[in-house]
Amino acid sequence: MAGSAAQASGTLERRLRAELKGDVLFDAFSRGRYATDASIYQIMPTGVVVPETMDDAVRAIAIAREEGATVLPRGGGTSQCGQTVNASLVVDCSKRLNRILDLDVAGRTARVEPGIVLDDLNRQLKRHGLWFPVDVSTASRATIGGMTANNSCGGRSLRYGTMRDNVLAVEAALANGERRWFGEVTRAEAMRNDGDLLTRDLLALGEREAAEVAERFPKVQRRVGGYNLDALAPNGPTNNMAHILVGSEGTLGFTTAVDLRLWPLIGPKVFGICHFGAFHEAMDAAQHLVALAPIAIELVDRTMIGLARDIAMFRPTIERVVRGDPDALLVVEFAEASEADNLGKLKELEALMGDLGFGWDRPGARFGGVVPVVEPAWQAAVTEMRSSGLNIMMSMKEAGKPVSFVEDCAVPLKDLAAYTAGLTEIFEAHGTTGTWYAHASVGCLHVRPVLNMKLDVDAKRMRSMAEQAFALVRRYKGSHSGEHGDGIVRSEFHEQMFGSRLVRAFEEVKDRFDPAGLYNPAKIVRAPRMDDRSLFRYPPDYRGAEITPALDWSAYPGASQGFLGAIEMCNNNGTCRKLDGGAMCPSYRVTRDEQHVTRGRANTLRLAMTGQLGPDALTGPDMAESLKLCVSCKACKRECPTGVDMARMKIEVTAARRAAHGASLHDRLVAHLPRYAGLASRLPWLLNLRNRLPGLAALSEKLAGFSARRSLPAWRSDVFSPTAPSEGPEGGREVVLLADTFNRAFERENLDAAVAVLLAGGYRVHHAQAADGSKRNLCCGRTYLATGMVDHARAEAERLVAALEPFAARGVPVIGLEPSCLFTLRDEIPALLRSPASETVAGTAVLFEEFIAAEAKAGRLSLPLHPLGETKVLLHGHCHQKAFGAMGAVEGTLRLVPGLAVETVESSCCGMAGAFGYHRDTIDVSLAMAELSLLPAVRKAGPDHIVVADGTSCRHQIADGAAREAVHAARVLAQSLAAGEARS
């Protein structure tokens, strides 16, 4: 059987490759990247097709049908119930099938392809004053096709409804090869139409089961379980046949286009953050708060507040909107016709909270009140934190994680407090707790009890809790599937919730559409047990390899001293797939390939570390290819809500590969640059010939991999070399200046400027020197880490820490100019050395701008800065400045110059990323990254703009790609000082 299956798969692959224009992926690494979604399940697909066109997709389905394979349509792959995993041919719509096909602004409708991402759709609609309002928390990666298949809801469904309320028509490719539209039909005419037997049969089924549907379907807005049989019932003269496809989870057909209802953009908004001293009180209050007609009421509980406070990107939001020590918050959102009306609603909310017995001065459960949030920027911050609720919960580093299986049950609002109390009792009886969040306005609260799904005992606890929870939902006449669909988790429970007759009707719908079971089998009907561990991401035989890691992963559980546990922090939520805003994930934004997104890399690492990709997968060429386009920007460290640090993981894997296979000439030249920099400064004319003599660039590309299309940094003889170990006033506040290799050897002007600014501020500047008295300059080891030469990196790090620790022990700030070097000192070196001295040094290490901004805030900065006339600054942030939250300090430092306007480019990685942009194999991606936003912004900048970029690589990319000089922020401050001297 195994042989015949492999033969069939081979035939399928050959035909797909021969007949399609799109990508056909059947290798183990690619299939593994599509084996999981955001659920607890993992099923290896037969293969993957990423179609070039919709005709490509339809042809792939036909080939699969002819070859006896099943088909799984897939968008962003963020389903939480296992809808988007199966032993099928995956057809990924998200890369290319993502256009707006037609837009009727006056009629407020749009026709779109299924792969378009919600945020991308809304960006295009915004210029017309419109939006699609089913605002799911995964809007940055959720596709309209996936949202339609799931009947998604969103936080503002109280006003706008669900996908079903906003889908007008669906075009689908059916299992028999027919491609047709489903939409509004006149019931009487459809029942007489012999040319459309499918519609006639479905409407007849709906009429037959109308009484049972009326009796058994929950009377709550958030009901997305099973098929929408109520859409087929005779509720009026017309029926919208598209609504039987909405929520069908890709089991009835393959969506090829969707017609959407659009809405005017929301006008001014206000938030009222209602505080409660007890969770139960918040739940009981929701039914009363709804009476004020908000557009949303979202819950944030104590656990989530605590977790968000520990995440750097959310900490300022918590500090701004949380008062005291509440047990729960309800974020009440109003969007009235005017700002005055909104403020009036806030007053009504404050009065209602008082009428309900809550006050800031009241103890215990009656503690509470309203914190108003009127500023749009803070509203956006609250929304981002709230919509990241699931991912914030998943940031726990323990072996147990919050698990989705009863998380979006919905009950009538009057029963919400009793239901949550009952479910909490069920959790406690099983020795666990749950974190609550989300849609209090519609009685649909997300809750995930903490379980370790690697343990059989916890799998059994999960099932027991599910059975008891669904019994509780039935008691309150609620829905067991209120937002995230059925998939594997909930499909088997339909019989309990809807009864046998309706489940047989569900099966009849499936068989009428898809008699041979072509599309996404075993979902909604004829499903496996939800606790079948053979389908789990962590099946019974799941084991991690034991390697000796180069870095410290001890904060995580699991094999290889925690390295596997760090990898497993990726829960496939897909935040890394966003295409706009923030910096993650720059290579994915260029390629749109699952291979080149943080999630895809983490899945590949996990499968390799657990032996699921064959022997030596961790150090093999496929793994190297999987990580090749990771630019180590560290955006994932900050922006991934679960803190997956792919840059650090890449160091670990590169070190293992280097140990197994050695280093290329290119890597050796990059790695040892700090070692030969001193010699190069004596012979700069010789080494710079590569950029000047015809043929040498091509030779360097052939021999060492440096692209002939890229100039290399120019060596110079006048390197930064202080004549004294210290300068500045003896009594001045002490600082240590870390002169990194790149600024020292290539752009000493930046270090000169930093020294001039610090001296002008009255600081005593120490120049770090090797503790052993050697002449060789200090280095952070960044180039060695990037090439996997960890032993060399450790030696450099030890030298650096030994030189800096005596200062750091006295609290003397260590100031650096190059972000990649300074943050290596702050981040990787403690993980590399695992020593108290390295932690001490890391604790005092700051960027030049961080130091200046902090001194100014503390009132200790005294710099005679002067205006620069009409000059403006266009600022590009280095990836590590963004990743470590330093951009505010950079902007603040530049604004210390009187009258200086600062505009920050909304950019991801510049694309150079150290040596990445110089290599012949990655230069095209490097340039494409720069063209996403950075280089167009620089080209638009006027002659009165100073382009500021603190990264050496960033400045090189700007010079190469836009023919503009970019400077370090220190030089802007030095120029401001010089402007005063010139006037005097």
Side-chain angles (χ1 to χ4, degrees), residues 301-332:
D301 80 349
R302 172 183 291 278
T303 302
M304 191 181 301
I305 294 170
L307 290 170
R309 188 177 277 117
D310 290 337
I311 297 173
M313 66 184 296
F314 298 127
R315 190 176 303 119
T317 306
I318 294 294
E319 292 172 351
R320 164 64 177 80
V321 304
V322 178
R323 182 170 169 180
D325 185 28
D327 204 39
L329 307 174
L330 289 179
V331 181
V332 183

Side-chain angles (χ1 to χ4, degrees), residues 201-534:
D201 290 350
L202 291 171
L203 291 177
L205 183 151
E207 185 169 356
R208 186 191 79 205
E209 302 298 339
E212 188 75 1
V213 167
E215 173 66 24
R216 298 300 299 260
F217 270 33
K219 306 299 189 295
V220 293
Q221 185 200 58
R222 293 300 191 89
R223 181 202 58 75
V224 302
Y227 293 122
N228 290 322
L229 299 185
D230 55 332
L232 306 175
N235 300 313
T238 63
N239 288 80
N240 193 323
M241 301 306 294
H243 294 173
I244 194 66
L245 292 173
V246 175
S248 64
E249 301 187 357
T251 62
L252 303 181
F254 181 92
T255 299
T256 52
V258 186
D259 284 356
L260 302 173
R261 174 184 289 113
L262 308 178
W263 293 70
L265 284 169
I266 294 181
K269 303 189 297 290
V270 292
F271 291 0
I273 313 295
C274 295
H275 290 51
F276 297 89
F279 179 83
H280 185 274
E281 298 295 336
M283 296 300 90
D284 187 60
Q287 60 186 311
H288 305 293
L289 301 184
V290 165
L292 296 179
I295 65 171
I297 301 177
E298 296 289 295
L299 168 69
V300 179
D301 80 349
R302 172 183 291 278
T303 302
M304 191 181 301
I305 294 170
L307 290 170
R309 188 177 277 117
D310 290 337
I311 297 173
M313 66 184 296
F314 298 127
R315 190 176 303 119
T317 306
I318 294 294
E319 292 172 351
R320 164 64 177 80
V321 304
V322 178
R323 182 170 169 180
D325 185 28
D327 204 39
L329 307 174
L330 289 179
V331 181
V332 183
E333 181 177 356
F334 297 103
E336 300 297 310
S338 69
E339 184 176 350
D341 290 338
N342 280 330
L343 295 177
K345 283 290 186 179
L346 276 182
K347 291 186 184 305
E348 290 180 39
L349 180 63
E350 291 170 351
L352 179 55
M353 285 289 286
D355 291 343
L356 293 174
F358 299 100
W360 296 120
D361 58 346
R362 298 188 181 180
R366 289 287 147 182
F367 167 81
V370 180
V371 172
V373 181
V374 178
E375 308 91 334
W378 282 112
Q379 291 174 8
V382 171
T383 298
E384 182 176 15
M385 181 190 73
R386 180 203 58 74
S387 63
S388 299
L390 163 62
N391 300 320
I392 290 172
M393 287 196 304
M394 298 302 289
S395 66
M396 297 177 180
K397 294 180 180 178
E398 296 80 8
K401 295 286 192 297
V403 178
S404 170
F405 60 98
V406 294
E407 74 150 356
D408 62 333
C409 300
V411 298
L413 268 184
K414 64 181 178 60
D415 300 314
L416 188 58
Y419 165 71
T420 54
L423 195 51
T424 298
E425 290 176 5
I426 292 172
F427 294 159
E428 290 175 349
H430 287 81
T432 186
T433 59
T435 293
W436 299 87
Y437 69 104
H439 318 303
S441 56
V442 289
C444 181
L445 294 183
H446 299 330
V447 59
R448 291 188 166 205
V450 176
L451 297 168
N452 183 353
M453 297 315 295
K454 296 175 184 176
L455 303 178
D456 186 62
V457 64
D458 275 12
K460 291 175 178 173
R461 291 163 71 204
M462 176 182 71
R463 180 172 195 89
S464 176
M465 283 189 282
E467 291 172 344
Q468 293 178 55
F470 296 154
L472 189 65
V473 171
R474 286 200 306 275
R475 183 195 308 170
Y476 293 112
K477 295 181 169 47
S479 170
H480 72 310
S481 185
E483 179 171 5
H484 294 150
D486 300 334
I488 301 172
V489 168
R490 279 186 275 271
S491 293
E492 71 155 303
F493 293 101
H494 288 341
E495 194 123 359
Q496 295 179 25
M497 305 305 294
F498 294 109
S500 298
R501 178 168 175 166
L502 287 185
V503 169
R504 300 295 83 77
F506 292 162
E507 292 171 353
E508 195 174 333
V509 170
K510 168 68 173 175
D511 293 343
R512 186 62 184 81
F513 272 93
D514 185 19
L518 172 69
Y519 286 121
N520 201 10
K523 309 293 167 57
I524 299 183
V525 298
R526 305 182 184 104
R529 286 175 60 90
M530 57 94 77
D531 57 335
D532 181 350
R533 292 193 68 202
S534 69

Side-chain angles (χ1 to χ4, degrees), residues 733-775:
R733 186 179 177 204
E734 295 179 282
V735 297
V736 185
L737 183 65
L738 174 60
D740 61 274
T741 298
F742 307 105
N743 282 303
R744 187 175 60 240
F746 302 119
E747 297 180 89
R748 67 163 296 168
E749 293 83 3
N750 299 325
L751 289 163
D752 290 335
V755 171
V757 171
L758 291 169
L759 293 179
Y763 296 95
R764 176 72 169 169
V765 180
H766 301 291
H767 298 287
Q769 297 178 339
D772 59 9
S774 63
K775 299 285 188 182

